[in-house]
Amino acid sequence: MNRRFDLASDLHVDFWVKFDSNPIKMKQKTDGFIDSIIHPDHSMILVIAGDMGHYNRQNELMLNSFKRYYEYILIVRGNHDLYLVSGQQEKKYGRNSSKRWNEMKEIAGQIEGVYILEGDVITLKGITFGGTGMWYDFSYGMLGHDKTEEELVRLWKKEMNDAGLIRGLPDFIEESAKLSNIINDSEVIITHVGGDWSMLSPNSKYVQGLTPSFYFFDGSKWMDQLQGKVWCFGHIHDHFDYIKNGCRFVNNAIGYPRDNPDVKIKTISI
């Protein structure tokens, strides 16, 4: 059996496809963007490791566009999937980011073959996937740079849009429990936030100084459970594909147009 799937994260569709009040033109623009990032020899499964976009109805257009190519789409929540980026959104969702995400889950649930993973495991085409969005724990700064959590929280509030645009942050302990529940049963692990920063380049243009504290969590407690698995993640708009502890770690972030104008969805064989 040809066991493979396609991977993307950080699609940020609203940066690539500008709003058009004409629904026909909006669909055409969305289809054009999707067409531009898919290889002809794509698989039948797409994994989206978080950060679809800032507007649920636009995300819905994107998912339906992807369905022209894929039989199945698996999604975990990213930080931007919780953003309330306008006063209109703040009012619509009652200043509660989880209400926006719950609406997105309802929309996705109405599209055949689309699954959102939140501590769930699913087997498709002979591959067992498990995932949850995860969150960061400030461990990069605390473990590697001897900073206190209080110091890092102050920096986080200064540097990260999460601090101002997410109303009700995810709980790291709850996310960790979800990851623990799926990690042994999953051949492919999907999170948005990555659990290993060991291959982060000091020359990365996306994170400098202590900011990796807000892009990764300390996944060392799970490392002895990863032999033979693939761990897909996103959040940071760099690209990774390496082996550690017998596990293949892969990030294929699409990112913003200014980041990766020529990046395409990646096919992973296992």
Side-chain angles (χ1 to χ4, degrees), residues 90-130:
E90 292 261 4
K91 181 177 180 180
K92 177 179 179 179
Y93 300 111
R95 294 175 59 85
N96 186 337
S97 290
S98 65
K99 290 185 177 180
R100 184 187 157 215
W101 179 239
N102 287 336
E103 179 189 74
M104 189 65 242
K105 289 192 290 185
E106 291 179 5
I107 291 170
Q110 295 171 6
I111 305 174
E112 185 177 359
V114 176
Y115 301 93
I116 288 180
L117 302 181
E118 294 186 303
D120 309 294
V121 174
I122 187 171
T123 301
L124 301 170
K125 302 290 187 181
I127 306 172
T128 302
F129 300 86

Side-chain angles (χ1 to χ4, degrees), residues 71-87:
E71 185 176 355
Y72 300 107
I73 301 174
L74 302 178
I75 304 164
V76 297
R77 184 212 66 236
N79 56 316
H80 282 258
D81 298 316
L82 295 170
Y83 276 22
L84 305 180
V85 295
S86 68

Side-chain angles (χ1 to χ4, degrees), residues 46-179:
L46 173 64
V47 168
I48 300 177
D51 280 3
M52 290 181 285
H54 292 143
Y55 303 97
N56 288 349
R57 292 301 172 186
Q58 188 175 24
N59 293 346
E60 180 182 15
L61 274 176
M62 179 178 67
L63 292 176
N64 279 310
S65 185
F66 273 131
K67 282 292 291 179
R68 296 175 299 138
Y69 294 95
Y70 296 102
E71 185 176 355
Y72 300 107
I73 301 174
L74 302 178
I75 304 164
V76 297
R77 184 212 66 236
N79 56 316
H80 282 258
D81 298 316
L82 295 170
Y83 276 22
L84 305 180
V85 295
S86 68
Q88 184 178 7
Q89 280 192 327
E90 292 261 4
K91 181 177 180 180
K92 177 179 179 179
Y93 300 111
R95 294 175 59 85
N96 186 337
S97 290
S98 65
K99 290 185 177 180
R100 184 187 157 215
W101 179 239
N102 287 336
E103 179 189 74
M104 189 65 242
K105 289 192 290 185
E106 291 179 5
I107 291 170
Q110 295 171 6
I111 305 174
E112 185 177 359
V114 176
Y115 301 93
I116 288 180
L117 302 181
E118 294 186 303
D120 309 294
V121 174
I122 187 171
T123 301
L124 301 170
K125 302 290 187 181
I127 306 172
T128 302
F129 300 86
T132 191
M134 279 305 294
W135 201 245
Y136 43 85
D137 59 357
F138 304 116
S139 56
Y140 177 89
M142 290 190 289
L143 296 176
H145 298 272
D146 200 29
K147 296 295 182 181
T148 67
E149 184 172 351
E150 290 76 17
E151 289 174 310
L152 292 166
V153 167
R154 286 197 294 270
L155 179 64
W156 171 75
K157 289 180 178 180
K158 179 181 178 181
E159 298 288 338
M160 295 295 289
N161 287 330
D162 291 6
L165 297 179
I166 299 177
R167 305 300 185 182
L169 295 169
D171 184 277
F172 179 78
I173 302 300
E174 290 180 3
E175 288 296 306
S176 296
K178 292 176 183 177
L179 181 59

Side-chain angles (χ1 to χ4, degrees), residues 244-261:
K244 181 176 179 179
N245 286 58
C247 178
R248 182 180 179 186
F249 289 82
V250 190
N251 175 314
N252 189 50
I254 302 299
Y256 303 118
R258 68 176 183 268
D259 294 332
N260 306 303

